[in-house]
Amino acid sequence: MKKLLTGILLAVLVFALAACGAKNDSGDKNASGGDKVVDETVEETKIVIGASNTPHAIILEKAAPILKEKGIELVIETYQDYVLPNKDLESGELDANFFQHIPYLDQQVIDHGYKFANAGAIHIEPMAVYSTKYKSIEELPDGAVIIFSNSVAEHGRVLSLLESAGLIKLADGVDKVKAEVKDIVENPKNLEFDANYEPSLLPQLYKNDEGDAVVINANYAIDAGLNPVEDSIAIEATESPYANIITVREGDENTKAIKTLIEVLKSKEIQDFILEEWGGDVVPVK
């Protein structure tokens, strides 16, 4: 009986060891010199970015698959105004935004104390003058009413455009980025200026035949079905200092993810897309 029990115990032990060895062979072949299955999944970085519908969100959508290949998931949140994207960036709801130009950002920092940084300039949207009543800038009559944005950061840009069109002259030495109506020293047509409207409302005012001419930002014009090159009676030169930028919180401009975002947005593929998609209405920054 003792020999029988000893034999049974030895058989059980051998079976257990064999089973253990089989488990090791199937689950971790590398332990016995075989191939080990390794999870090579790369952890993906997410960037939540706020953007105006056109052209900013469209450009980002084009860049998203390229960024995906580089391990970056781009989540795009669209905005209809120029105020919330900066508030949401400051609060941490966004990692970046893409809607504003440098002078606007500078003014926002002064007004609200934001700790933001310009991560890179991507494109320029030429501002333009539109009119349902006149076919050229020269046709504007004496006393014509010019409607434009209530954003103070845009006033210098609007006035510079009107000056380049020959309608007004600004005082010598004035910083044209910060110019205001009071800086006009020559106004031969006695133009009247109405700057009491949110930028997003300007296309509708134009379509409603308000005023004699309306100065509209390109993104709102394009979004409303207007072509800045073909439909305007005067358009801003592409050498404008008003480049649209990727804005982030201070310090984030140096992160790998944001640097990769800028590299992709400034790549030849995206720059060619911008030119093909908008034919000069939106111009990439080199």
Side-chain angles (χ1 to χ4, degrees), residues 169-186:
K169 186 179 185 309
L170 296 170
D172 292 337
V174 68
D175 182 350
K176 294 187 179 182
V177 168
K178 299 178 180 179
E180 301 176 30
V181 172
K182 65 181 179 61
D183 295 313
I184 297 173
V185 292
E186 293 182 21

Side-chain angles (χ1 to χ4, degrees), residues 27-65:
D28 188 1
K29 291 186 178 180
N30 194 54
S32 58
D35 295 327
K36 181 178 180 181
V37 178
V38 179
D39 183 2
E40 295 181 348
T41 302
V42 177
E43 186 176 349
E44 196 171 62
T45 300
K46 181 188 290 187
I47 298 176
V48 181
I49 184 167
S52 297
N53 286 319
T54 307
H56 307 77
I58 295 173
I59 294 171
L60 292 172
E61 287 165 5
K62 181 69 176 179

Side-chain angles (χ1 to χ4, degrees), residues 19-191:
C20 184
K23 184 176 180 182
N24 283 339
D25 284 346
S26 62
D28 188 1
K29 291 186 178 180
N30 194 54
S32 58
D35 295 327
K36 181 178 180 181
V37 178
V38 179
D39 183 2
E40 295 181 348
T41 302
V42 177
E43 186 176 349
E44 196 171 62
T45 300
K46 181 188 290 187
I47 298 176
V48 181
I49 184 167
S52 297
N53 286 319
T54 307
H56 307 77
I58 295 173
I59 294 171
L60 292 172
E61 287 165 5
K62 181 69 176 179
I66 304 173
L67 288 163
K68 186 79 171 178
E69 293 175 359
K70 296 178 180 292
I72 297 174
E73 178 189 0
L74 194 65
V75 178
I76 306 164
E77 302 286 349
T78 58
Y79 290 79
Q80 295 287 347
D81 74 297
Y82 286 171
V83 177
L84 287 178
N86 280 334
K87 287 187 175 181
D88 289 350
L89 178 59
E90 182 187 40
S91 70
E93 291 184 43
L94 299 175
D95 300 308
N97 65 43
F98 183 30
F99 77 98
Q100 62 195 326
H101 52 61
I102 298 169
Y104 183 81
L105 172 61
D106 290 344
Q107 189 62 49
Q108 287 279 293
V109 169
I110 292 171
D111 292 345
H112 303 285
Y114 292 135
K115 301 297 183 182
F116 290 167
N118 168 9
I122 308 303
H123 69 268
I124 294 171
E125 301 168 21
M127 183 176 276
V129 183
Y130 300 82
S131 177
T132 58
K133 301 172 182 176
Y134 305 100
K135 295 182 178 180
S136 71
I137 201 77
E138 292 79 18
E139 290 183 13
L140 289 175
D142 188 80
V145 176
I146 311 296
I147 295 174
F148 54 93
S149 166
N150 62 0
S151 172
V152 176
E154 298 284 7
H155 291 181
R157 186 179 189 183
V158 172
L159 296 174
S160 294
L161 171 55
L162 297 179
E163 183 180 52
S164 66
L167 294 177
I168 62 171
K169 186 179 185 309
L170 296 170
D172 292 337
V174 68
D175 182 350
K176 294 187 179 182
V177 168
K178 299 178 180 179
E180 301 176 30
V181 172
K182 65 181 179 61
D183 295 313
I184 297 173
V185 292
E186 293 182 21
N187 183 8
K189 287 193 173 184
N190 300 304
L191 301 176

